[in-house]
Amino acid sequence: MSVLIKNGLVVTSASSYTADVYVENGKIKAIGTDLAYAAKTIVDATGKYVLPGAIDPHTHLAMPFMGTHAQDDYETGTIAAACGGVTCVVDFDLQQKGESIRQAIERKQSWAIGKVAVDYSLHPAIMDPRPEVIDEIRDAILEYGTPSFKIFMVYDFRVDDATMIKLLEETKKYGGLVQVHAENVHMIDHLNRKFEKAGTLTPYYHAKSRPNIAEEEAVSRAAKMVELTGSRIYIVHLSSKEGLARVKEARDKGVKVFAETCPQYLLLDEERYKEEGFNGAKYVMSPPLRTRESNQALWEGINRGDIQILATDHCPFDIKGKKDMNGTDDYRKIPNGAPGIETLLMLMHSEGVVKGKITLEKMVDVLSTATAKMFGLADKGEIIVGKDADIVIFDPTQKFTITQKKLHMNVDYTPYEGMEVIGMPVEVYSRGKKVAQWQEDHMEFVGEKGHGRFVKRVPLTHF
Ligand code: URP
Ligand code: ZN
Ligand code: ZN
């Protein structure tokens, strides 16, 4: 299998230049001008960008949660990923009570076999931190290929600060990374009780029950644990100006706090919760949408380098049948999460690059290159010789009106319905095999389910 991509603008995290890219047996074999390989497929990429496939390091495929499960499984979720130009996902794998890390990984891998359409890896989420599980961290990093571990400071399955400290110590020894959902559970519980008493339980109060200060406090506490242990931490789905200020404060002191944000925290704000009827439930996610001030601060955080990664937190639930499955009169009963895997790249290009908020190179960095480095995806994330040929041919002039009808995510809405974007992926390759293609007015999946492979990640040495 060989592909010669001619005359496209190759974009790296550092620069962009016109070149040909030759792909053979799933790998990038050569980059240069006027390459003369006799390839099976020749792609004319004149006027198009040649981007490394986006990597989404925050998905919840088929995850059991709040009495139901996230609706995209490994098949539908990764088909949607491919159509959006995402060629690798690192999915959360929530350890069940009594399970070892190994068992949790094997359980989730069994859900992916024969279904997954692009490459994937797993972040084990530590939810039952028995001593033998803490001891298994070493094997997970050095043998299983899963060097990053999620913990929650909220929800019933949260871990306490003592466990966080143990995990920080253990991951530091072997090249691992703790990822944290940072919100203060007691502040949220207090506000939930207050709103229950007042009878203010519409979706808007979901946002009010999880204020910026709840994120700020948890980020600050997590950062202090890092300062104490000399380890490092990665804040998932950072949403607020105040949370970001604590990340920056730590980083300015040399404390190794890394952060990710998501398109919803850059582009949407809490006014969405006021949409008519129960529509505000579409945006019930944790942390919640914030204000425009936070949106702006997060863009600045990306440009300063305090936020290194963009991810989606893809966790979809239908508005009809799932978000409302426990009734429509109490925000606390609405499954938390929203879809986003397919719209990640188009939104970051159109709202970020086209509107001058980030450069094209920065986009490639936060969607691919920095992500691969952060999480030990040694063969991914860059258009350079030797890497996997996970490539997006991107037409910066192609317009698209986002509508759920033309997307592939297994959910009945998109938070971006009706938004017009400029620039779309038009061909997507996973290890040199075409998996998605622009057809008339939308992207179509042209790959094979089961093509995706589990990627064993390497220990993390970049800290
Ligand atoms: O609301 C969200 N974010 N749902 C998914 C689980 C999580 O906390 O990331
Ligand atoms: Zn979370
Ligand atoms: Zn999440």
Side-chain angles (χ1 to χ4, degrees):
M1 196 166 41
S2 56
V3 186
L4 181 58
I5 302 165
K6 298 283 294 173
N7 212 28
L9 187 76
V10 175
V11 188
T12 75
S13 58
S15 64
S16 307
Y17 57 96
T18 300
D20 300 344
V21 178
Y22 178 62
V23 169
E24 201 179 86
N25 296 329
K27 292 278 182 190
I28 298 172
K29 276 278 151 66
I31 303 176
T33 43
D34 299 323
L35 294 185
Y37 291 91
K40 196 157 174 245
T41 308
I42 297 189
V43 179
D44 178 8
T46 308
K48 310 224 169 48
Y49 301 155
V50 180
L51 309 176
I55 300 168
D56 188 350
H58 190 149
T59 64
H60 298 276
L61 298 176
M63 185 183 83
F65 191 48
M66 293 184 78
T68 178
H69 58 273
Q71 276 171 215
D72 267 316
D73 65 7
Y74 273 93
E75 183 176 331
T76 60
T78 57
I79 286 175
C83 292
V86 172
T87 52
C88 183
V89 301
V90 193
D91 191 41
F92 287 112
D93 181 7
L94 272 53
Q95 178 206 18
Q96 304 298 298
K97 276 261 172 271
E99 264 185 343
S100 64
I101 297 176
R102 169 51 99 196
Q103 286 166 333
I105 291 170
E106 285 173 355
R107 177 174 44 75
K108 221 157 184 198
Q109 284 173 326
S110 75
W111 299 359
I113 290 169
K115 294 180 110 183
V116 64
V118 297
D119 291 349
Y120 77 104
S121 188
L122 295 167
H123 309 284
I126 305 300
M127 302 193 1
D128 185 14
R130 308 183 307 277
E132 64 270 29
V133 172
I134 305 289
D135 286 347
E136 202 187 358
I137 293 286
R138 180 193 171 281
D139 290 351
I141 297 169
L142 300 178
E143 288 172 30
Y144 309 164
T146 57
S148 43
F149 305 87
K150 172 86 174 277
I151 55 170
F152 295 87
M153 295 169 86
V154 283
Y155 304 129
D156 297 345
F157 42 79
R158 66 185 174 274
V159 300
D160 58 17
D161 293 351
T163 302
M164 192 190 313
I165 292 172
K166 279 187 208 153
L167 288 169
L168 287 169
E169 288 287 10
E170 213 56 20
T171 48
K172 183 180 132 192
K173 286 185 204 159
Y174 306 109
L177 178 64
V178 174
Q179 301 162 278
V180 62
H181 175 140
E183 288 185 291
N184 181 304
V185 68
H186 303 295
M187 290 181 180
I188 295 167
D189 283 350
H190 166 73
L191 291 168
N192 280 339
R193 282 192 297 272
K194 192 171 148 190
F195 294 140
E196 180 176 29
K197 230 172 163 184
T200 47
L201 294 170
T202 58
Y204 181 66
Y205 287 88
H206 170 73
K208 297 292 110 182
S209 71
R210 310 179 89 100
N212 299 19
I213 195 174
E215 181 171 79
E216 181 184 12
E217 188 283 330
V219 169
S220 169
R221 188 160 26 111
K224 288 294 171 198
M225 307 297 177
V226 180
E227 199 172 332
L228 178 81
T229 55
S231 188
R232 54 264 165 166
I233 208 160
Y234 175 97
I235 312 291
V236 297
H237 50 42
L238 186 73
S239 61
S240 67
K241 183 181 171 192
E242 291 78 359
L244 173 61
R246 298 287 82 82
V247 170
K248 181 175 183 322
E249 182 181 84
R251 292 178 62 78
D252 287 350
K253 281 202 282 186
V255 178
K256 291 173 190 152
V257 177
F258 301 93
E260 145 202 301
T261 192
C262 313
Q264 56 270 32
Y265 301 119
L266 294 165
L267 304 176
L268 307 178
D269 64 63
E270 64 177 24
E271 291 303 304
R272 296 275 181 145
Y273 294 108
K274 297 179 183 164
E275 282 184 11
E276 221 191 348
F278 191 58
N279 278 317
K282 290 177 181 171
Y283 315 98
V284 168
M285 61 185 82
S286 295
L289 302 178
R290 309 294 187 184
T291 60
R292 286 186 180 272
E293 211 188 343
S294 280
N295 299 158
Q296 182 54 31
L298 294 172
W299 283 115
E300 287 162 15
I302 292 171
N303 280 319
R304 264 198 326 265
D306 288 324
I307 296 171
Q308 300 79 31
I309 306 291
L310 268 164
T312 65
D313 194 9
H314 180 74
C315 189
F317 301 102
D318 279 346
I319 186 79
K320 288 204 170 47
K322 288 289 180 189
K323 288 274 188 186
D324 62 359
M325 66 184 214
N326 301 310
T328 57
D329 58 355
D330 186 343
Y331 67 80
R332 295 169 300 175
K333 297 179 182 164
I334 302 170
N336 285 202
I341 199 165
E342 196 168 356
T343 45
L344 173 69
L345 173 59
M346 64 181 88
L347 286 170
M348 283 307 102
H349 177 264
S350 193
E351 294 292 316
V353 178
V354 175
K355 293 195 173 166
K357 294 205 174 339
I358 52 172
T359 63
L360 190 55
E361 292 76 17
K362 186 67 160 179
M363 181 186 85
V364 162
D365 197 38
V366 296
L367 290 181
S368 305
T369 311
T371 319
K373 185 172 163 202
M374 182 71 73
F375 292 111
L377 290 155
D379 291 337
K380 306 229 177 256
E382 278 178 280
I383 305 284
I384 55 171
V385 171
K387 295 277 180 189
D388 284 353
D390 288 358
I391 296 175
V392 174
I393 311 293
F394 190 91
D395 182 346
T397 65
Q398 180 62 60
K399 292 187 178 160
F400 179 64
T401 303
I402 297 178
T403 174
Q404 183 49 31
K405 285 191 211 83
K406 291 186 180 157
L407 298 173
H408 300 77
M409 298 176 285
N410 181 32
V411 60
D412 63 2
Y413 77 100
T414 160
Y416 307 99
E417 185 70 35
M419 187 184 276
E420 292 191 4
V421 293
I422 304 176
M424 282 294 284
V426 289
E427 289 186 40
V428 179
Y429 292 84
S430 163
R431 280 180 281 104
K433 187 177 185 324
K434 198 194 281 188
V435 289
Q437 163 87 50
W438 181 260
Q439 277 170 15
E440 209 175 321
D441 61 355
H442 67 287
M443 285 297 277
E444 266 305 315
F445 179 65
V446 297
E448 270 169 43
K449 59 178 188 164
H451 159 84
R453 291 183 190 154
F454 176 74
V455 182
K456 267 184 107 168
R457 293 182 285 131
V458 299
L460 310 175
T461 53
H462 56 86
F463 304 111

